[in-house]
Amino acid sequence: MPQSNHDNTPVKNEFTCPVHDLPQQARAIIVGGGIAGASVAYHLAQLGWTDIHLLEQSRLSSGTTWHSAGQVGQLRSSQSQTLVNKASAALYAQLQQATGHDPGWVQCGGLQLAASAERLRQLKRNAAMARVFQVDADIISPAECANYWPQLRTDDLHGGVYLPGDGRVLPGECTVALAQGAMQRGVVCHEQTEVLEILWTQSKHGRKRITGVRTNRGTVHADWVVLATNMWLRQMGQQIGVPIPVYACEHHYVITQPIDGVDRHQPCTRDPDAGIYFRSLDDGGMKLGAFKRRSKPWELGDHVPSDFAFSLLPEDWPDFAEPFQSMCHRLGFLDQSKVVKFINGPEAFTPDNNFIMGRPAFTDGLFVLGGFNSAGIACAGGAGLYSAEWMDHGDMTIDLSSVDVRRFMPFQSGKQYLRERVSEVLGLHYQMAWPNRQMETARNIRASALYDRHRQHNACFGESAGWERPLWYAPVGECNQTEYSFGQQNWQQWTNAEVTHCRQYCGLLDQSTFGKLRVTGPDATVELRRLCANDIDVPAGTSVYTAMLNERGTFESDLTVVRIGLHEYYLVTATAQAVRDRDWLLGNFTASADVTVEDVSEQCNVIGVMGPDSRRLLQCLTDIDLSHNAFAFGQSKSVEIGSHQVRATRISYVGELGWELHCPVTQVGFLWDRLWEAGVRELGEDRIRPVGNNAISAMRIEKAYRAWGHDISADETPWQAGLGFAIDWNHDFLGKQALEDAKSNGYLTKRLVSLTLADPNIILWGGEPILRDGSVVGYTTSAAYGPSLGCSVAMGYVRNPDRTRLDIAKLSDGQFAILCEDRVCEAHVTLRSPFDPGRKKVLC
């Protein structure tokens, strides 16, 4: 195996695959021989799959893999992504023993530095969550940082965090080790085999069935085609009309000559305030790289050349000058004379800094894995494991929603959008992970027709799935830009006022970003009934809150189903769920079913009229009786309001009396104006105001209303989420058998609870450890300051430390607290809503 020294870093592997003929048929074709493709092949073989063929257009580890930095950090922003990286570290550590090929694994540890007080607060939050995720992480002093790097300048440091389980590999050799292990179990690897075309057919419901590939060496038909091509993912998806939002950015690092005092066991170190990282090499040299706040997309259009294998881009010292100056500051011995090589290698980035995996929407037989955002080596080992499990089981085996390719909208694969966004994403690696941080690039893509009205009210906008939505409203004349902090942010006082107003009077909420699907056809009822845990076969004009579950009995989505007519339903789901929900429905309908699903999210806007005065406001604009007995909670009617025909559903996501008004985009502006004018006229100017998304979030957390992606996911059952009421056991539905089996086997090992803090001055954001009698038993999934409660309020799952069956009756016996940075804050826990637990305000 080649040595990692300054003459041959980055390392090109010297392994060549034996030459085999291509088969005509295979169970799985894996396209891409980088570390991700090799990992999928390795793990599918481990699961007992046979007839697997890996195709690489050049040689193993070419493309992005070979020039990667090779660092393997375990701790990520979510539990599932941390599980992925932990699986990578565990795999690489035993790979030589398992395969006979040395991947170059060194468990040298990881060190993150804090050059500011706020950075140290972030590291303390990270270290606290590391306890939950069972990753060793220790907050250390500046002097202790110098123990790991005696050459380190520490006089301007506030501290750091050390993670002893982190390490590094030689990327090319690690890829070969995985490929060797796969081949030992029957996988056949084909180098110099370029995929020219992906073959597919189309089903009745408009889904693409991938059937194989045509290559420069012949055609192979397959049950599965796995695209693990990283930079090439987007253009391969374009061939078949499948959007995969990945785009290449330039990433720079330099290699030094051997340095006195540097050895191979020093930790991989990051100084995020300076945007730099560095690590030792085996010969005593160093590798030093940067993630600038803004980076340069690779300017080559829509097509990455197929012969860009072991290639690099030109040196760019002017762009690297600022981070290199920071490196010289942090490592006093460093100057440019010690640099022997400049590496400018393109890497694939996604719009949200999370990698991509899974089955693309509206396809069958296709799986994608890539877009690793400069963390491909750290992620690929575990991502390959969970990809193989996903393919083998038929769905994800842990909650991987944050990396599921279906989280993206089609427009996010556009070239201009990606070029703007990835220039920011590369820098996010080391940007401060502020609570509620908003992306700054590729904005103003989608908006409701009320956008200009929000601007007139001095709204601060945030973005979700491309939608611009008002987060909060500043008084006219005040700055409407967020000042980020881990403590109270500058908008809190105005959000508090919005919450209080909505609780006391009436607020207008722009909820247009909801995902909205229209399901029609003679078989609509039968098919939806089978896929919804609650019974949606209800009279027309009735809404039903329900879960959609998988065969394991865990969530695929939660949504509101409104029956419009005999064969027509209107589904309202989370903002980023429209593509995923539509895909889930179409993929699980009976093949012969006469049913269609249309995404009408951009055709309909939604105004929420919420608060004690909402009935009075609406009643002055319509002749329909809005009294409780005449228009009960959950009913949905087509009504005329202010000369506009709208669908009014009596429902609330904020815990107040209210209605959601759904209407065409062309009418919503007029409807808003009529509501506003009537509010001023009938209620008084001081009793009507717009309410932003931050206030909506605070109110729904006060009321313990769950949110997809936060409080419910593919890891939870309805019982664990406290949503057993959304199941109707009198009909058969997908996941019912799994729930019944779990119930007979002591099913409740964790439970979602609400927590309120005793100290009103502590601000929670979500992602804080929950303690019971001093032991970590979970973490907060959603949190906000609750103005109605006068303290921070959160939701989170708790379990026994030994993960045995949870006794709900004894839950209140323990002393609960939340670990906020390094402070233990006393908390009260409840299974009921902290605000209006009797639902008197909603049902009045």
Side-chain angles (χ1 to χ4, degrees):
M1 186 181 73
Q3 295 298 304
S4 176
N5 58 53
H6 64 267
D7 292 326
N8 65 5
T9 299
V11 179
K12 301 178 184 179
N13 80 77
E14 296 180 352
F15 178 81
T16 300
C17 293
V19 178
H20 297 276
D21 292 334
L22 282 181
Q24 293 184 339
Q25 183 71 41
R27 183 176 184 187
I29 291 293
I30 300 169
V31 185
I35 194 165
S39 180
V40 175
Y42 179 87
H43 287 103
L44 283 175
Q46 290 272 54
L47 289 174
W49 281 39
T50 58
D51 205 12
I52 304 169
H53 293 260
L54 185 149
L55 314 183
E56 165 53 48
Q57 64 188 2
S58 177
R59 286 176 45 204
L60 291 179
S61 81
S62 61
T64 299
T65 296
W66 77 284
H67 62 72
S68 299
Q71 302 178 129
V72 183
Q74 299 175 88
L75 187 60
R76 301 279 290 191
S77 59
S78 71
Q79 184 171 24
S80 57
Q81 290 192 43
T82 299
L83 285 174
V84 168
N85 284 32
K86 286 178 67 177
S88 293
L91 171 67
Y92 301 155
Q94 56 83 46
L95 203 51
Q96 181 174 9
Q97 180 179 0
T99 68
H101 193 96
D102 185 3
W105 169 255
V106 179
Q107 188 173 322
C108 55
L111 178 62
Q112 297 183 34
L113 308 175
S116 66
E118 285 292 87
R119 181 69 65 177
L120 185 60
R121 293 186 70 177
Q122 178 186 323
L123 295 186
K124 287 179 178 179
R125 289 177 61 87
N126 295 348
M129 284 304 291
R131 292 177 58 183
V132 180
F133 301 156
Q134 298 180 315
V135 172
D136 291 335
D138 300 315
I139 295 294
I140 59 177
S141 68
E144 289 171 310
C145 293
N147 290 339
Y148 295 104
W149 283 96
Q151 308 91 337
L152 202 66
R153 178 175 177 175
T154 62
D155 62 324
D156 59 347
L157 292 181
H158 290 250
V161 61
Y162 178 66
L163 300 101
D166 289 359
R168 59 181 176 87
V169 296
L170 298 176
E173 300 306 325
C174 190
T175 303
V176 170
L178 288 166
Q180 288 271 47
M183 289 188 286
Q184 290 162 7
R185 293 169 174 81
V187 175
V188 181
C189 295
H190 305 267
E191 295 182 318
Q192 305 300 327
T193 304
E194 182 181 356
V195 171
L196 305 176
E197 182 183 5
I198 300 171
L199 309 177
W200 59 279
T201 59
Q202 189 148 324
S203 73
K204 173 183 176 181
H205 294 302
R207 299 175 67 81
K208 291 182 171 70
R209 170 68 204 184
I210 309 304
T211 60
V213 296
R214 181 174 65 85
T215 78
N216 60 332
R217 298 177 56 209
T219 296
V220 186
H221 296 280
D223 300 330
W224 280 98
V225 172
V226 180
L227 300 182
T229 54
N230 211 28
M231 289 192 299
W232 288 268
L233 265 178
R234 178 171 173 268
Q235 66 197 56
M236 297 193 79
Q238 286 177 321
Q239 294 178 18
I240 56 175
V242 174
I244 308 174
V246 166
Y247 206 84
C249 248
E250 297 184 16
H251 177 218
H252 311 144
Y253 65 81
V254 296
I255 304 297
T256 75
Q257 63 190 27
I259 305 292
D260 288 342
V262 173
D263 70 72
R264 68 195 302 261
H265 294 288
Q266 287 176 292
C268 300
T269 301
R270 300 164 178 83
D271 183 353
D273 289 302
I276 61 173
Y277 66 88
F278 51 91
R279 73 169 181 85
S280 61
L281 300 175
D282 290 342
D283 68 345
M286 294 186 68
K287 180 179 290 188
L288 307 101
F291 291 99
K292 294 178 61 178
R293 186 175 183 275
R294 289 288 187 271
S295 298
K296 296 193 298 185
W298 188 13
E299 299 290 357
L300 80 169
D302 287 331
H303 184 76
V304 178
S306 60
D307 60 356
F308 194 87
F310 294 102
S311 305
L312 296 169
L313 302 178
E315 295 184 4
D316 193 346
W317 272 106
D319 196 54
F320 198 64
E322 181 180 352
F324 189 74
Q325 184 178 6
S326 297
M327 295 169 188
C328 295
H329 168 82
R330 188 59 61 206
L331 299 166
F333 60 81
L334 187 65
D335 59 61
Q336 194 167 337
S337 69
K338 295 182 172 60
V339 174
V340 296
K341 189 173 293 186
F342 188 111
I343 306 300
N344 183 1
E347 298 192 15
F349 291 83
T350 67
D352 63 359
N353 202 31
N354 289 333
F355 66 87
I356 282 175
M357 70 184 294
R359 181 183 48 74
F362 320 122
T363 69
D364 294 300
L366 179 66
F367 199 94
V368 299
L369 179 63
F372 284 108
N373 306 285
S374 273
I377 306 303
C379 300
L385 166 65
Y386 290 112
S387 294
E389 289 186 356
W390 192 333
M391 294 169 64
D392 192 53
H393 289 253
D395 57 48
M396 58 182 75
T397 54
I398 63 171
D399 174 33
L400 293 165
S401 303
S402 63
V403 295
D404 187 347
V405 63
R406 293 172 295 174
R407 71 191 186 270
F408 291 116
M409 303 295 113
F411 75 86
Q412 291 177 288
S413 291
K415 180 174 69 176
Q416 184 60 36
Y417 174 89
L418 285 170
R419 286 183 71 259
E420 288 185 31
R421 178 55 62 85
V422 298
S423 69
E424 177 182 6
V425 166
L426 188 145
L428 291 182
H429 278 273
Y430 292 164
Q431 294 271 318
M432 197 75 76
W434 297 118
N436 296 342
R437 184 196 183 278
Q438 294 293 316
M439 290 291 192
E440 299 169 357
T441 57
R443 294 287 297 269
N444 299 307
I445 305 296
R446 306 163 90 192
S448 81
L450 301 173
Y451 179 79
D452 287 338
R453 288 165 175 81
H454 299 315
R455 290 185 61 189
Q456 292 170 8
H457 285 286
N458 205 24
C460 173
F461 289 92
E463 178 260 339
S464 178
W467 286 100
E468 297 292 327
R469 54 186 185 181
L471 299 179
W472 47 275
Y473 300 86
V476 175
E478 296 278 359
C479 176
N480 64 353
Q481 299 299 310
T482 297
E483 297 173 9
Y484 294 115
S485 169
F486 290 107
Q488 180 172 289
Q489 296 184 2
N490 65 313
W491 47 264
Q492 189 68 63
Q493 59 177 322
W494 299 318
T495 290
N496 290 352
E498 291 172 28
V499 170
T500 301
H501 182 97
C502 194
R503 296 281 191 228
Q504 294 180 351
Y505 307 116
C506 184
L508 298 187
L509 291 55
D510 185 355
Q511 297 176 285
S512 302
T513 65
F514 280 145
K516 298 170 282 286
L517 305 174
R518 183 172 175 263
V519 181
T520 57
D523 296 325
T525 299
V526 172
E527 294 299 314
L528 283 178
R529 199 164 185 261
R530 182 173 55 82
L531 297 178
C532 292
N534 215 345
D535 194 353
I536 53 79
D537 190 5
V538 293
T542 305
S543 68
V544 177
Y545 174 69
T546 183
M548 287 199 301
L549 309 175
N550 51 45
E551 290 185 352
R552 294 183 290 124
T554 62
F555 282 94
E556 286 295 326
S557 186
D558 78 317
L559 66 166
T560 298
V561 177
V562 181
R563 188 166 196 173
I564 305 298
L566 182 61
H567 302 309
E568 181 179 358
Y569 294 83
Y570 181 65
L571 280 55
V572 182
T573 188
T575 298
Q577 276 288 94
V579 169
R580 194 175 187 274
D581 283 355
R582 182 167 179 257
D583 172 69
W584 178 257
L585 290 168
L586 291 173
N588 285 278
F589 284 158
T590 305
S592 60
D594 188 354
V595 59
T596 61
V597 184
E598 180 185 5
D599 186 347
V600 295
S601 300
E602 295 192 7
Q603 299 173 28
C604 300
N605 280 180
V606 184
I607 299 175
V609 184
M610 300 289 158
D613 286 343
S614 59
R615 178 181 283 123
R616 179 182 165 194
L617 169 60
L618 290 174
Q619 194 65 81
C620 74
L621 291 171
T622 185
D623 293 333
I624 193 169
D625 186 353
L626 299 178
S627 66
H628 180 67
N629 290 333
F631 204 136
F633 184 82
Q635 285 191 318
S636 181
K637 301 179 182 183
S638 180
V639 301
E640 186 178 4
I641 296 180
S643 302
H644 299 281
Q645 203 68 27
V646 304
R647 173 152 297 279
T649 302
R650 188 175 167 194
I651 198 169
S652 175
Y653 197 45
V654 298
E656 292 292 331
L657 171 69
W659 283 260
E660 290 177 5
L661 308 180
H662 295 246
C663 69
V665 170
T666 53
Q667 296 182 24
V668 73
F670 298 106
L671 179 61
W672 178 280
D673 292 344
R674 299 295 83 74
L675 290 166
W676 190 267
E677 292 163 2
V680 172
R681 181 178 67 250
E682 299 295 329
L683 306 179
E685 190 171 1
D686 59 343
R687 296 174 75 97
I688 183 79
R689 69 176 296 169
V691 173
N693 199 71
N694 285 7
I696 296 172
S697 181
M699 287 187 282
R700 73 98 183 161
I701 297 171
E702 289 179 335
K703 197 70 181 69
Y705 288 153
R706 283 62 164 155
W708 174 262
H710 296 276
D711 317 300
I712 49 178
S713 74
D715 276 348
E716 286 83 40
T717 67
W719 287 315
Q720 293 168 337
L723 296 175
F725 67 87
I727 302 174
D728 187 309
W729 294 98
N730 295 317
H731 79 293
D732 290 327
F733 56 87
L734 183 62
K736 181 177 180 179
Q737 186 62 55
L739 292 181
E740 290 176 337
D741 292 345
K743 189 171 184 178
S744 64
N745 294 321
Y747 61 95
L748 204 59
T749 56
K750 66 177 181 179
R751 179 61 157 82
L752 190 71
V753 301
S754 287
L755 305 104
T756 52
L757 287 189
D759 187 338
N761 298 311
I762 299 295
I763 301 295
L764 298 179
W765 296 105
E768 296 96 359
I770 301 172
L771 309 179
R772 185 184 188 188
D773 298 329
S775 297
V776 173
V777 293
Y779 63 96
T780 58
T781 53
S782 292
Y785 181 79
S788 313
L789 305 171
C791 63
S792 283
V793 57
M795 286 185 281
Y797 286 92
V798 298
R799 62 170 80 233
N800 290 327
D802 59 3
R803 306 205 168 204
T804 55
R805 180 172 180 172
L806 193 66
D807 189 343
I808 293 297
K810 296 182 179 180
L811 196 63
S812 60
D813 293 350
Q815 296 294 317
F816 281 87
I818 293 176
L819 183 59
C820 188
E821 297 170 17
D822 54 0
R823 181 175 176 181
V824 177
C825 305
E826 181 185 348
H828 172 71
V829 65
T830 178
L831 295 176
R832 304 186 72 195
S833 165
F835 177 80
D836 187 28
R839 305 181 72 203
K840 294 180 180 178
K841 292 176 69 68
V842 174
L843 300 179
C844 63

